[in-house]
Amino acid sequence: MYRRTSACFAYLIPTSCSLLLILLAFAPSFARQQTTDTVGYESQRRKVNELLAQRSERFGQFDESLRRRTGIFGLKTKKDMQASIDILKQIVLMDNDIFYETKTLLDYKEFEKSQIAEQASEYDGRINGYIKTISKLQQQQEQLASQISALEKTNQLYEGLVILLGLTLLGGGAYVFIKRQKLTKT
C-alpha cells in the first residue's frame, strides 16, 4: 500500500525537480552573455577615456605653445602661431574622434539595453511556460494521489471481503470437520 504511494510521488518529484534544474540552467548563460557585453562596453569606454586623456595632453601642448615666444624682444613668430594652430587643429580632430566614439559607446549601451529587455521577455515567457507545466504536473499529482487513496479504500474493502470469505470457509471447513468427527465416532 505505502509502496504505491511513494512510487507515484517518486515519479512526480524528479519531474518537478528537472524543471527547476532547467530554469537554473539558463542563469549561467544569461550571466555569461551579460559579462561578454560588459567587457565590450568597458573596452569601448576605455577607448573614449584614452581619447579624452590624449585630448587633455594636446590641450596642454596648445597652452604651452601659446606661451612660447621665440621672436625678437619676446614676441611670437609666425612659426609659433602656426604651431599653435596645428595643435588646435589636432584638438578639433581629436574632438571629432571623441564624439564618434562616444556615440558608438551610447549606441552600444542602447543595444545592450534592448538586448537585455529582449532576453528578459524571452525568459519571462519561458518561466511562464515552466510555471504552467509545473502547475499542470501538480494537478496531475493531486489527481493521482486521490486515485491512489480511492484504490487503497477499494483494496481495503477487498481485503476485508477476502478475510471474511476466508474466515467463512475456515469456519465451514471446521464445522464439516467437526461433524465428520462426530459421525465417525458414533
Side-chain angles (χ1 to χ4, degrees), residues 168-184:
T168 305
L169 287 176
L170 187 63
Y175 176 73
V176 170
F177 181 74
I178 292 173
K179 274 287 197 190
R180 219 181 231 199
Q181 288 292 331
K182 282 185 186 180
L183 288 176
T184 53

Side-chain angles (χ1 to χ4, degrees), residues 4 18 46 50 54 60 64 78 91 95 143 161 183:
R4 288 183 190 164
S18 64
R46 268 188 250 116
E50 288 173 8
Q54 290 175 3
E64 185 181 317
K78 185 176 181 180
I91 289 174
D95 286 346
Q143 288 174 349
L161 289 175
L183 288 176

Side-chain angles (χ1 to χ4, degrees), residues 18-74:
S18 64
L19 287 174
L20 184 61
L21 290 175
I22 290 170
L23 282 173
L24 294 175
F26 286 113
S29 67
F30 179 70
R32 185 173 40 248
Q33 179 67 31
Q34 201 170 22
T35 304
T36 304
D37 292 344
T38 304
V39 168
Y41 176 78
E42 286 298 319
S43 69
Q44 184 68 22
R45 195 170 69 88
R46 268 188 250 116
K47 190 174 183 181
V48 169
N49 286 338
E50 288 173 8
L51 287 172
L52 288 171
Q54 290 175 3
R55 184 194 185 280
S56 178
E57 183 181 320
R58 298 267 163 120
F59 194 78
Q61 292 172 355
F62 173 70
D63 194 34
E64 185 181 317
S65 75
L66 287 178
R67 283 190 230 128
R68 234 185 257 149
R69 298 171 186 261
T70 58
I72 301 175
F73 304 114

Side-chain angles (χ1 to χ4, degrees), residues 117-133:
E118 288 174 13
Q119 286 177 345
S121 65
E122 179 184 335
Y123 290 143
D124 283 345
R126 287 182 182 176
I127 288 171
N128 288 336
Y130 295 141
I131 288 172
K132 287 178 185 177
T133 303

Side-chain angles (χ1 to χ4, degrees), residues 79-171:
K79 192 175 186 183
D80 291 337
M81 291 166 69
Q82 187 62 43
S84 295
I85 290 171
D86 289 343
I87 293 173
L88 197 54
K89 283 181 184 178
Q90 290 174 354
I91 289 174
V92 169
L93 292 174
M94 183 75 60
D95 286 346
N96 288 341
D97 288 344
I98 290 171
F99 290 140
Y100 175 77
E101 294 299 331
T102 303
K103 183 182 180 322
T104 303
L105 184 66
L106 291 175
D107 290 344
Y108 190 76
K109 193 62 176 176
E110 286 300 316
F111 173 73
E112 272 186 348
K113 284 181 183 178
S114 66
Q115 191 176 21
I116 288 171
E118 288 174 13
Q119 286 177 345
S121 65
E122 179 184 335
Y123 290 143
D124 283 345
R126 287 182 182 176
I127 288 171
N128 288 336
Y130 295 141
I131 288 172
K132 287 178 185 177
T133 303
I134 289 171
S135 65
K136 181 181 172 184
L137 288 173
Q138 286 174 340
Q139 289 174 353
Q140 287 177 351
Q141 181 180 8
E142 290 171 4
Q143 288 174 349
L144 290 173
S146 65
Q147 287 176 356
I148 287 171
S149 65
L151 288 173
E152 286 175 348
K153 287 179 184 176
T154 306
N155 190 24
Q156 288 175 353
L157 178 67
Y158 288 139
E159 285 176 356
L161 289 175
V162 166
I163 290 173
L164 182 63
L165 181 64
L167 288 175
T168 305
L169 287 176
L170 187 63

